[in-house]
């Protein structure tokens, strides 16, 4: 039975864990604030970070980017992983130390990586990840579903209309709102 380790069991991590269970995988999870109760609620096992990296055949990063998660997965974590394990990151690029990931891929320390997010987006044409072996790279489209489009486009139109009316909404940096 394959094991999937899920870093973060929030809004995006919980469905990943459920998908692992649907495929009859052993699902383990860890994050800095995760509790055993939350894991039990979803039917997955809570483990410490080291155990997650040592035991998982697949590791799916599902964390929010913050000061605490930036660089959370680096050389030390790749050293713990099985040489047959895969890293999947659909959360935020800077959670992974890209240089350490590239080194792990180039030396065969891990089996491969699936990445939808990067430190710099769009990923530059000459970026070393584009040449890294055993990788699947997508351009930050993992969130795209047919059900997300109506919401996305409706909010886009609403945002434009509000801006044109001089009453912008969904402002990402409120400190800059007065400069608009």
């Amino acid at each position: 039975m394959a094991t999937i380790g899920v870093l973060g069991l929030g809004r995006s991590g919980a469905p990943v864990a459920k998908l692992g269970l649907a495929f009859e995988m052993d699902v383990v999870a860890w994050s800095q604030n995760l509790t055993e109760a939350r894991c039990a609620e979803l039917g997955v096992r809570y483990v410490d970070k080291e155990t997650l990296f040592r035991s998982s055949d697949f590791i799916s990063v599902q964390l929010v980017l913050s000061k605490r998660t930036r660089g959370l997965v680096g050389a030390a974590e790749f050293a713990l992983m099985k040489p047959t394990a895969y890293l999947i990151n659909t959360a935020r690029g800077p959670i992974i130390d890209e240089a350490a990931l590239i080194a792990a891929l180039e030396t065969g320390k891990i089996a491969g990586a699936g990445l939808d997010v990067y430190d710099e987006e769009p990923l530059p044409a000459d970026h070393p990840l584009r040449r890294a072996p055993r990788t699947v790279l997508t351009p930050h489209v993992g969130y795209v579903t047919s059900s997300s489009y109506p919401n996305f486009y409706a909010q886009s139109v609403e945002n434009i209309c509000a801006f044109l009316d001089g009453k912008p909404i969904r402002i990402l940096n409120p400190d800059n709102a007065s400069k608009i």
Side-chain angles (χ1 to χ4, degrees):
M1 174 185 300
T3 298
I4 184 167
V6 183
L7 287 175
L9 278 183
R11 189 169 38 104
S12 60
V16 170
K18 289 177 185 176
L19 190 59
L21 292 170
F23 279 98
E24 299 182 352
M25 298 176 85
D26 179 27
V27 181
V28 298
W30 175 86
S31 74
Q32 293 155 325
N33 295 325
L34 188 60
T35 64
E36 289 187 39
R38 172 66 175 154
C39 288
E41 185 182 305
L42 293 170
V44 305
R45 286 189 304 123
Y46 174 83
V47 295
D48 61 38
K49 182 181 175 187
E50 182 176 322
T51 300
L52 183 138
F53 279 90
R54 282 191 192 281
S55 65
S56 297
D57 298 295
F58 303 91
I59 296 173
S60 182
V61 180
Q62 301 296 326
L63 297 165
V64 173
L65 180 62
S66 70
K67 289 178 185 175
R68 292 187 322 156
T69 62
R70 184 176 296 275
L72 184 73
V73 180
E77 289 71 28
F78 291 120
L80 295 172
M81 290 175 68
K82 301 175 186 179
T84 56
Y86 294 86
L87 177 80
I88 303 154
N89 188 8
T90 59
R92 292 289 179 253
I95 295 170
I96 308 295
D97 175 337
E98 282 185 354
L101 172 59
I102 293 165
L105 289 164
E106 288 176 346
T107 62
K109 179 60 194 143
I110 64 172
L115 307 172
D116 188 52
V117 292
Y118 313 94
D119 283 0
E120 183 180 353
E121 295 182 6
L123 191 63
D126 62 345
H127 196 284
L129 275 172
R130 291 190 183 265
R131 295 182 305 281
R134 300 172 314 283
T135 60
V136 174
L137 308 174
T138 55
H140 202 155
V141 294
Y143 68 92
V144 176
T145 64
S146 59
S147 62
S148 67
Y149 277 120
N151 231 359
F152 176 76
Y153 286 116
Q155 287 183 359
S156 295
V157 170
E158 184 182 14
N159 289 341
I160 292 166
C161 290
F163 179 82
L164 292 173
D165 288 342
K167 299 174 186 167
I169 55 176
R170 295 184 188 95
I171 299 169
L172 296 179
N173 187 347
D175 295 335
N176 288 336
S178 63
K179 299 173 188 170
I180 296 176

